[in-house]
Amino acid sequence: MNEIAADICVIGAGSGGLSVAAGAAQLGLKVVLVEAHKMGGDCLNYGCVPSKALIAAASAVKAAREAARFGLQTAGGVDYAAVRNHVRATIASIAPMDSVERFEGLGVKVVAARAKFVGPKLVEAGDMRIAARKFVVATGSRAAVPPIPGLAEVPFLTNETVFELDRRPDHLVVIGAGPIGCELAQAHARLGTKVTLIEAASMLPKDDEEAVAVVRQSLIADGVALREQAKVKRIERHAVGTVVVLDDGKGGEAALACSHLLIATGRKANIEDLGLEAAGIASDGRAIKVDDRLRTSNRDVLALGDVAGGLQFTHVAGWHAGLAIRNLCFRIPARADTTAIPWVTYTAPELAQVGVSEAAAKATNRDIETARWPFHDNDRATATGETAGFVKLVAERGRVIGATIVGAHAGDLVAPWVVAVGQRLKVATMAGAVMPYPTLSEAGKRAAGAYFSPRLFSPRTRKLVRFLFDLPF
């Protein structure tokens, strides 16, 4: 077995692992990167990149169907194979940034094999034995498959396989109405597929209920048959295809036949077969346990991204990578504070959240105030016909502690509010910013202004203005 000595060994070539490997190598450290599957991880190959490419195609189809309102005459159907090729081309155009060749060019030794700890500071991968001073585990997560009776006996899709379909599904049943389920359900409906979306509880349960209501209405308008509070009892395989059997809520059952079944019921961290016990790394059975500096119970091993539990987003893994570099390379005690971490569901309209939601703030009996501004009162939204949604701010003692945006381009519009929450900026600071006209960003500024409206236009203020106005100028 060949032996390699390194300063840092990174296990997993997803977003977080790649960022650590690139950063450490460019800082002059000897880095070994171990990846058992595809460079780029879930985000590039099965997650963020292909899903957003599919959503873009679906949005274009939707725009074409509604083009007549802007004076454009169109005709024609959807070439699903071309859609698939667009998704693949998008992945291919980004892949070189995550390639073995690029990282070897940075000085990283890339090992294509599955890594397993055989000691506190020793890993085996293929025919390699890697001894390193520090290790970073960034093995990510995969689609969680629920224990539904009969599911193992039927073919089903996850985010790892749905983008490989060559033909448009006739009837797609999606189980799980979290962000992935909602995004893919709406995109396929817009592409002409009959879609049923099933959720045991309520869709997008972690988001603001008022904002979720806007998304729910949009999904239904796009043709998604949404069934919330629906329990799947079992899955059956029939001659006609797959049949999903639901509890009808009345003591009986309802059968739903489909051509394709997509499971979108959450994520599971990839911690199996890593040899964690041999390295003295503790886990809770779901993820690796880490402290606020991302250190495991073995202080020479850090874990980041999905495998460390917590928020499972690509941007969180990238942020974790920056913290790891600061901790490992510069010995700066950088800690993970998730106060201002945003998340976005890329439905149409998009739903973005940062900081504390209105419901969460009220549940803790905090003395909070809210302010909102609807998109239908924004001139740019009116011009483009994208008037669904609003901006909602949550403030505590005049400072921004949370923001919810549901509407067109919400994922982009949330950016200044990430700064506001992270820096505890005053609502007055955001209200005083000058935004270009006409832009959607004005909705956020107007929401901040609305926070002051009850005070500004009160009878007391009106009396004060009358008095001041009568003074010599």
Side-chain angles (χ1 to χ4, degrees), residues 63-68 72-76:
R65 289 194 183 116
E66 298 180 348
L72 179 64
Q73 300 299 317
T74 63

Side-chain angles (χ1 to χ4, degrees), residues 459-472:
R460 182 178 178 180
T461 304
R462 291 166 64 121
K463 290 180 181 179
L464 176 62
V465 169
R466 182 74 266 173
F467 170 76
L468 294 174
F469 191 79
D470 289 338
L471 292 176

Side-chain angles (χ1 to χ4, degrees), residues 69-368:
R69 62 178 176 151
F70 295 109
L72 179 64
Q73 300 299 317
T74 63
V78 175
D79 184 342
Y80 195 81
V83 172
R84 177 209 59 200
N85 291 338
H86 161 68
V87 172
R88 291 178 178 175
T90 302
I91 295 172
S93 67
I94 297 173
M97 288 297 295
D98 296 347
S99 66
V100 171
E101 292 77 14
R102 175 172 180 263
F103 278 79
E104 289 181 339
L106 294 173
V108 176
K109 170 66 176 177
V110 180
V111 178
R114 186 172 298 279
K116 183 175 183 178
F117 283 97
V118 294
K121 301 180 72 170
L122 192 64
V123 159
E124 288 185 357
D127 62 353
M128 298 285 185
R129 176 168 286 185
I130 305 160
R133 297 175 61 187
K134 301 292 181 182
F135 289 83
V136 173
V137 180
T139 49
S141 65
R142 64 187 184 278
V145 179
I148 301 174
L151 180 59
E153 281 71 55
V154 302
F156 63 88
L157 302 165
T158 68
N159 69 294
E160 293 187 8
T161 54
V162 67
F163 301 109
E164 291 301 314
L165 293 177
D166 292 328
R167 297 179 59 188
R168 182 176 61 199
D170 294 323
H171 182 192
L172 176 67
V173 168
V174 182
I175 298 179
I180 294 174
C182 288
E183 290 176 7
L184 294 181
Q186 185 181 41
H188 279 90
R190 287 182 162 195
L191 291 170
T193 293
K194 179 182 178 181
V195 178
T196 302
L197 178 59
I198 301 171
E199 172 55 51
S202 297
M203 63 177 284
L204 301 175
K206 296 181 181 180
D207 287 291
D208 180 277
E209 288 187 8
E210 186 183 6
V212 171
V214 178
V215 176
R216 179 184 291 111
Q217 183 178 3
S218 180
L219 263 64
I220 294 172
D222 279 329
V224 176
L226 179 60
R227 303 187 69 161
E228 298 178 89
Q229 312 299 329
K231 180 182 179 181
V232 178
K233 296 185 67 174
R234 64 184 181 276
I235 309 292
E236 298 177 351
R237 188 167 191 170
H238 291 198
V240 295
T242 300
V243 174
V244 180
V245 181
L246 303 175
D247 185 336
D248 67 2
K250 302 176 182 177
E253 297 179 344
L256 188 64
C258 64
S259 64
H260 294 75
L261 176 63
L262 172 63
I263 301 299
T265 51
R267 309 286 299 171
K268 180 178 176 60
N270 294 320
I271 61 172
E272 298 86 358
D273 301 322
L274 283 172
L276 299 180
E277 292 183 1
I281 301 172
S283 75
D284 61 6
R286 296 175 301 168
I288 294 175
K289 292 182 178 180
V290 297
D291 63 11
D292 61 358
R293 292 178 61 187
L294 305 177
R295 297 176 299 184
T296 69
S297 52
N298 178 342
R299 286 294 185 262
D300 292 316
V301 181
L302 274 64
L304 54 84
D306 291 4
V307 79
L311 299 172
Q312 294 182 325
F313 303 117
T314 297
H315 52 279
V316 169
W319 170 58
H320 278 178
L323 297 178
I325 289 292
R326 291 163 66 188
N327 277 301
L328 293 174
C329 301
F330 295 102
R331 291 299 190 266
I332 298 172
R335 291 177 165 80
D337 179 2
T338 60
T339 301
I341 298 298
W343 65 86
V344 183
T345 298
Y346 294 92
T347 47
E350 295 178 356
L351 199 169
Q353 172 72 43
V354 63
V356 183
S357 68
E358 179 183 13
K362 289 181 177 178
T364 57
N365 296 315
R366 297 175 71 168
D367 183 17
I368 61 109

Side-chain angles (χ1 to χ4, degrees), residues 366-388:
R366 297 175 71 168
D367 183 17
I368 61 109
E369 295 177 273
T370 62
R372 65 195 309 282
W373 193 263
F375 270 49
H376 64 68
D377 283 347
N378 176 270
D379 291 356
R380 182 63 177 272
T382 300
T384 61
E386 298 173 302
T387 56

Side-chain angles (χ1 to χ4, degrees), residues 418-437:
V418 174
V419 178
V421 172
Q423 300 300 315
R424 295 277 293 182
L425 296 182
K426 293 182 178 180
V427 180
T429 300
M430 305 303 288
V434 179
M435 300 297 176
Y437 175 88

